[in-house]
Each structure stands twice: as C-alpha cells, then as structure tokens.
Amino acid sequence: MEAGNGETAMSDREGIDRELAERYPLTMEDCRRFREDGFVRLPGVFQPDTLAHFDRVITALTMARNPVAGVPLERRDTYGRAFIQVFNLWLEDPEARRLCCCPRLARIATELLGTRGVRLWHDQALFKEPGGGFTPWHADQQYWPMASGLCVTAWIPLHAVPLEQGPLAFARGSHLRRIGRDLEISDDSERLIGAALGAAGIVEVNEAYAAGDVSFHLGWTLHRAGPNMTTAPRRVQTVIYMDVDMRLAEPRNTNQQRDHAAWTPSTHVGEVMDDPLNPVLHQEEAEPPMPGR
Ligand SMILES: O=C(O)CCC(=O)C(=O)O
C-alpha cells in the first residue's frame, strides 16, 4: 500500500522488510525436484503488496535505462526482440538492492544448491515488450566462466504471467544431459537445441506463473520463453547466485571473457570470486562445536 505522497508507508516498509528477511518454507520435496528437474517454481515467495512495490521500483529503473528505447522491434535481431535487458540495478538504487540482495531469496538459493552459502553473480531486469519475440533455447552457463555447476538464477516475475505473455519454460532434467552447451542465444540455439530435446524425448515444462511465484533454475538447465502476445510488458527481475566458494574458470569463449571482465573483474583464473561485485548474500551458520571437544 502507498502513503498519500506516493511513498511506501513506514508500517508497510517494515512489513516488506520482515518478508524479505524471513525464511521461505522450502521442503525436501522442493529440493529433490530441483536436483532432478534442474528447476523449481515456488509459490507465494512474495506477497501482493511487496510485489507491487518492487514492480513500481524495478519498472521505473529499467525503463529509464532501456538500451533499445526508440528502436522498433522489427529493426532488432532475435536477441534484441526477446527482451529489454538492464544489468546490476542493485548498484544503482537502494530499493533494487533491497530486493536483489534480500536474505529470503539468497537462502532459498543456498538451500537448493546445498552449499554453505551464496554470492551474487549479477542481476538483470528482463522485460518482454508487448509484441516482443520469443527467448531462444539456451543454457546460461555458456556465458559464465565458473568452475562448477553450482549456480542458480531466481526468475522473479513482478506480476502474474499467463502463457500468452512469455513465462519461462524449462527442459526437464536437461542439466544432466550435454545438449547445446556451446550455443549462445540465437536462432541456431532455438533450432538445434529444440530438435535435440525432441530427439532425446526431453519434456518442455511451460506453465503460467501466479503473482508471487518465483522460479529457480541451474546454470546448465535449458530454458526458453514464448513471445509476449499481450498489450502489457512482461516485467521480470532476475538474480543470479553462485556457490560462495565458486572459483573462476579459464574463459572458454568470448562471452565468458566478457562476463569475467564485467562481473568479477578483480578475480584471477583459479581464485574464489571474491570481487566487491560478488558479495556474500547468505551463509549458513557453522555447526556449534561438540561439547568437550
Ligand atoms: O526472461 C526471459 O525471457 C529469459 C530469461 C533467462 O534466460 C534467464 O533468466 O536465464
């Protein structure tokens, strides 16, 4: 709820803060599904008022930084038609930081990965404009020079996303198969990965998101999204987490060289990614020592 002057009232602020700090009741079954499927969509991660607040915040920040403003969809390539993409809003605005660095999401990421904590890799707003095109099949780790697969993206729609607005769809279990790992997002990745998934009998899970749902997918899970056939933009914030002990791998392609320079510039190959751009967002408490030892 907004106060009369358009600011979020103090009691609402406190309510949002409580929600952002509180543990989400993740179950063993959620974790099992995540391990087996490579993704999980969790209901009720955010309440309607919290979501509405961050919808206003993220939408204003994203539209003010829109890198393709004024370029008609038909003059862009497939990647450019898929979404407006704005990076690392957590560095630009305290409200964006409040969402992107919140303990609630970071703890879910930690528990799903089964690590002792997570760091931030980066965040991205991904808005699919009305009439915006599909997002081709791909795996995120094609872009990321990481030494293990212990990384996960939280895909946070800022409103309900029906099928006709391009929700994120996943190839179930594809993180366990070596399909299309060298393909960057393109018409080729859509065609070649789509055909390979069909040949391997891998199921595509394409479902609507209710308001407050957040999905989490592993870096090697193949995913895509349909076009936005509605008249409203599909507004999504994402946060990418990695194992707190993640080391930088030798970049395997130019995308990975670029991401090394952009997201963890001070880290050398082989080191833990402890750059100021990669803060620890959650760490499990150490086991207390056994009495008498
Ligand atoms: O939002 C989209 O359309 C694509 C999102 C995606 O590829 C991701 O978050 O990894």
Side-chain angles (χ1 to χ4, degrees), residues 83 126 128 135 138 140 153 155 168 217 223 225 234 238:
F83 35 65
L126 293 172
K128 211 180 261 302
T135 307
H138 67 281
D140 300 329
T153 299
W155 197 81
L168 201 60
H217 62 273
H223 52 284
R234 187 214 69 182
T238 66

Side-chain angles (χ1 to χ4, degrees), residues 221-245:
T221 302
L222 294 164
H223 52 284
R224 76 182 296 280
N228 181 0
M229 296 181 288
T230 75
T231 53
R234 187 214 69 182
R235 305 179 300 284
V236 171
Q237 177 63 27
T238 66
V239 183
I240 303 149
Y241 305 90
M242 57 183 171
D243 179 6
V244 69
D245 297 317

Side-chain angles (χ1 to χ4, degrees), residues 89-111:
L89 287 175
W90 76 281
L91 292 172
E92 308 255 336
D93 180 84
E95 282 304 306
R97 177 183 301 221
R98 199 168 161 221
L99 175 67
C100 296
C101 299
C102 76
R104 186 170 176 84
L105 291 173
R107 185 166 182 175
I108 296 174
T110 302
E111 292 181 9

